[in-house]
Amino acid sequence: MPREFQFQVSPEVAANESLLAQHVAKLFQVSPKEIQKVVVVKRSIDARQKAIKINVKANVFLVGEPFVEQKIELPDYPNVANKQEVIVVGAGPAGLFAALQLIELGLKPIVLERGKDVRGRRRDLKAINRDGIVNEDSNYCFGEGGAGTYSDGKLYTRSKKRGDVDRILELLVGFGATPEIMVEAHPHIGTNKLPQIIQDIRERIIACGGQVLFETRVTDFIIKNNEMQGVVIQNGNVISANKVILATGHSARDIFELLHKKGVQIEAKPFALGVRAEHPQELIDQIQYSCDFRGDYLPPAPYSIVKQVNGRGMYSFCMCPGGVIAPCATAPGEVVTNGWSPSKRDQATANSGIVVELKLEDFKPYAKFGPLAGMEFQKAIEQKAWHLAGETQKVPAQRMVDFTQNKVSKDIPQTSYVPGTTSVELGQVFPGFLTQIMREGFVQFGKSMRGYMTNDAVLHAPESRTSSPVRIPRDPISLEHVQIKGLYPCGEGAGYAGGIISAAIDGEKCALKIAACLA
């Protein structure tokens, strides 16, 4: 039987299999030649002391003990071409993993995606970056793989259901992700690697008899006697099914509006909103690792910070070490920022959303919109930012210290945001209470992370799509909508997830409930 050990080593030892085996041999008090294999189970960085250590949890096999390299394999998916059909609206992580689970359970998914396939999206991303042209159906938020495909691919979740998390990670490895995501404390695939994985998932769905239809936007729901009958797509065609998983993501405003118009119950949901801050990655490394140069064995440093300011949480969100800021508008006349990192996290800058938690009472000026009040609050800020920055995809920007001192920055250095920036006093973008909280919050951030509060950092506004501004209520047991039988609100857009992993888990949960209902 292997022995399980937990220990700390230097970054250099953790990165070298031979040195790691030598370290384990000392723990065992045996010769390194007696160590057959060290299998690292979990790995994380401990940067609390000046001498940075790597926490390692490993299974150790001695020579002569049975050891078989564990290979992760995909489930034996059946052919479901002639099985009962379930409509899945949206091909993000919730929709794709719901489709895979449906196939595993012997049901046929029909996946409807308003955007293009994962490769076809690239032209539209280039258009928004280079020309400021926003395709409302194909952008950083909409298209195969959803928002996560071209906006980083972080796999970290605070979900306590580790079995579910490991299953999703194993499926991703089965579809081509590096096995390292099973080991790292904060796993990350990278925007450059996710497209092939997403494509392979889609091809497996089709090979098993499922359907995936691109550029197929749902424009209406067919509901009779409060029961789902199917959906109408933009060309007027009807696709019939009495089970519909609604996994459209946090930016599908037309779906929220459609549900409200049809009298389907939805409700406003608090979310968070703020700016995206960009620093030189070298500076973040120096702050986090307490060194002038991080060396060859440490990754670009992330950071996580939270403060309470005037009774509100202000915190870092979707932090991207070695990454870039991207334009994530989903309609003309608005600007939206988000961040992503390639798999190597090798860009010169680090960025993070710095956001403030909002409350339902903040949406009172938009009360006439009912459950869409939060969405209209969000939309108004994005549209104001677009206007202030010059009515292109440039964003309002300000140096960090200047923002805290209410000074317009004389100049804005070139940042990773390709469409460009316009120097704006960001207090013009946000309501006064939000501006004041952020100004005080950045001062507090600077006291906790010395060096963080600097005019070398540039704030881009707004970071507004942190989560859905709407919740689509569902029964906690059946996961069906509380009013419409056969409708399964799912993932981030419905208010039940907050990232790739949690969305994928929620997609699987909905598929399992449907299968149980049909059994």
Side-chain angles (χ1 to χ4, degrees):
M1 290 288 292
R3 282 79 164 172
E4 183 180 282
F5 278 83
Q6 296 189 47
F7 51 87
Q8 286 190 326
V9 292
S10 70
E12 182 180 5
V13 170
N16 186 298
E17 192 172 339
S18 176
L19 293 178
L20 190 62
Q22 291 178 35
H23 181 85
V24 170
K26 289 181 180 178
L27 294 177
F28 257 109
Q29 297 183 329
V30 298
S31 165
K33 294 180 180 179
E34 295 182 54
I35 303 294
Q36 178 186 184
K37 186 71 175 179
V38 178
V39 179
V40 176
V41 178
K42 289 295 174 186
R43 181 169 51 223
S44 63
I45 298 173
D46 184 349
R48 292 173 296 179
Q49 306 298 325
K50 191 170 179 88
I52 296 169
K53 298 293 184 180
I54 306 298
N55 298 317
V56 177
K57 179 180 177 181
N59 290 329
V60 180
F61 294 82
L62 297 177
V63 172
E65 293 180 336
F67 168 73
V68 178
E69 195 81 48
Q70 294 294 315
K71 183 179 180 182
I72 293 174
E73 295 183 350
L74 292 172
D76 185 15
Y77 294 112
N79 189 290
V80 295
N82 299 314
K83 301 297 184 179
Q84 182 161 345
E85 296 176 343
V86 177
I87 294 173
V88 179
V89 185
L96 290 175
F97 279 83
L100 288 173
Q101 182 72 86
L102 288 168
I103 291 172
E104 197 172 346
L105 296 166
L107 298 171
K108 177 182 177 179
I110 302 177
V111 183
L112 310 180
E113 170 54 53
R114 68 189 295 165
K116 297 178 183 177
D117 67 78
V118 74
R119 305 292 176 185
R121 292 174 72 180
R122 288 179 173 173
R123 182 176 296 177
D124 298 310
L125 300 185
K126 184 177 180 180
I128 192 173
N129 273 290
R130 300 294 180 183
D131 307 315
I133 298 171
V134 181
N135 182 325
E136 293 186 63
D137 288 321
S138 180
N139 43 61
Y140 275 98
C141 291
F142 298 144
E144 185 179 23
T149 303
Y150 287 108
S151 56
D152 204 54
K154 288 183 181 65
L155 302 178
Y156 177 64
T157 178
R158 289 182 173 86
S159 171
K160 301 301 181 183
K161 296 184 177 179
R162 287 300 306 171
D164 289 337
V165 173
D166 287 343
R167 173 180 159 83
I168 300 300
L169 294 176
E170 286 173 3
L171 285 171
L172 286 167
V173 172
F175 280 106
T178 170
E180 290 294 300
I181 67 173
M182 301 294 300
V183 173
E184 298 296 341
H186 292 80
H188 168 256
I189 293 180
T191 296
N192 54 319
K193 291 188 174 182
L194 261 174
Q196 185 62 52
I197 294 168
I198 297 300
Q199 181 178 313
D200 289 348
I201 291 174
R202 178 237 304 166
E203 289 175 351
R204 181 59 61 96
I205 292 169
I206 294 171
C208 293
Q211 289 181 264
V212 182
L213 306 178
F214 296 112
E215 299 181 76
T216 304
R217 177 160 37 94
V218 171
T219 57
D220 202 0
F221 298 105
I222 302 173
I223 301 171
K224 293 182 180 179
N225 300 321
N226 281 342
E227 294 187 13
M228 287 299 304
Q229 303 291 311
V231 301
V232 181
I233 58 178
Q234 79 268 32
N235 62 7
N237 288 347
V238 172
I239 300 176
S240 298
N242 58 15
K243 301 292 182 186
V244 175
I245 294 177
L246 188 61
T248 50
H250 58 43
S251 293
R253 290 171 171 169
D254 59 328
I255 293 295
F256 301 146
E257 291 167 345
L258 173 61
L259 291 170
H260 186 46
K261 180 181 177 182
K262 292 182 74 69
V264 176
Q265 186 177 338
I266 61 174
E267 56 195 34
K269 181 181 77 62
F271 59 103
L273 187 146
V275 297
R276 187 151 283 268
E278 181 170 275
H279 290 78
Q281 179 62 55
E282 186 177 16
L283 174 60
I284 298 300
D285 290 343
Q286 290 169 358
I287 294 170
Q288 295 297 87
Y289 293 147
S290 302
C291 61
D292 293 331
F293 176 64
R294 73 170 185 263
D296 297 327
Y297 301 104
L298 285 171
Y303 65 84
S304 176
I305 190 166
V306 60
K307 295 291 180 183
Q308 287 293 316
V309 186
N310 297 338
R312 307 264 188 151
M314 177 171 164
Y315 56 92
S316 55
F317 168 82
C318 184
M319 195 275 149
C320 301
V324 301
I325 301 176
C328 293
T330 54
E334 65 186 28
V335 291
V336 181
T337 66
N338 198 353
W340 60 267
S341 301
S343 57
K344 292 183 179 179
R345 293 178 161 171
D346 55 0
Q347 302 300 299
T349 51
N351 69 79
S352 179
I354 304 296
V355 296
V356 176
E357 62 178 354
L358 298 175
K359 302 177 181 180
L360 291 178
E361 63 197 52
D362 300 327
F363 309 148
K364 283 184 179 178
Y366 302 89
K368 67 179 181 180
F369 295 100
L372 301 178
M375 187 185 85
E376 293 297 328
F377 175 96
Q378 182 188 60
K379 189 188 298 185
I381 288 174
E382 295 169 0
Q383 292 172 347
K384 183 182 286 187
W386 177 78
H387 176 73
L388 289 169
E391 300 187 348
T392 68
Q393 280 302 301
K394 287 186 176 182
V395 294
Q398 192 172 11
R399 292 177 183 265
M400 186 180 288
V401 175
D402 289 346
F403 172 66
T404 64
Q405 297 176 355
N406 194 15
K407 294 179 182 177
V408 175
S409 299
K410 293 181 180 179
D411 66 312
I412 302 293
Q414 183 174 350
T415 73
S416 66
Y417 184 81
V418 172
T421 58
T422 299
S423 181
V424 171
E425 202 297 288
L426 295 186
Q428 296 181 68
V429 177
F430 303 103
F433 79 92
L434 200 54
T435 300
Q436 188 59 34
I437 289 170
M438 286 193 288
R439 283 182 176 146
E440 293 181 25
F442 277 117
V443 172
Q444 290 191 32
F445 280 20
K447 292 176 180 177
S448 294
M449 292 178 62
R450 297 201 177 277
Y452 183 87
M453 239 272 278
T454 170
N455 257 353
D456 288 337
V458 178
L459 308 181
H460 303 63
E463 167 79 47
S464 50
R465 306 286 179 94
T466 55
S467 68
S468 177
V470 169
R471 177 174 286 108
I472 308 174
R474 69 188 187 189
D475 182 90
I477 304 301
S478 71
L479 304 188
E480 281 184 303
H481 188 272
V482 294
Q483 174 191 0
I484 307 300
K485 188 174 177 59
L487 177 63
Y488 293 78
C490 181
E492 282 205 42
Y496 299 102
I500 291 174
I501 296 295
S502 58
I505 289 172
D506 202 53
E508 288 203 333
K509 284 181 180 178
C510 289
L512 286 163
K513 290 295 184 181
I514 289 174
C517 179
L518 295 173

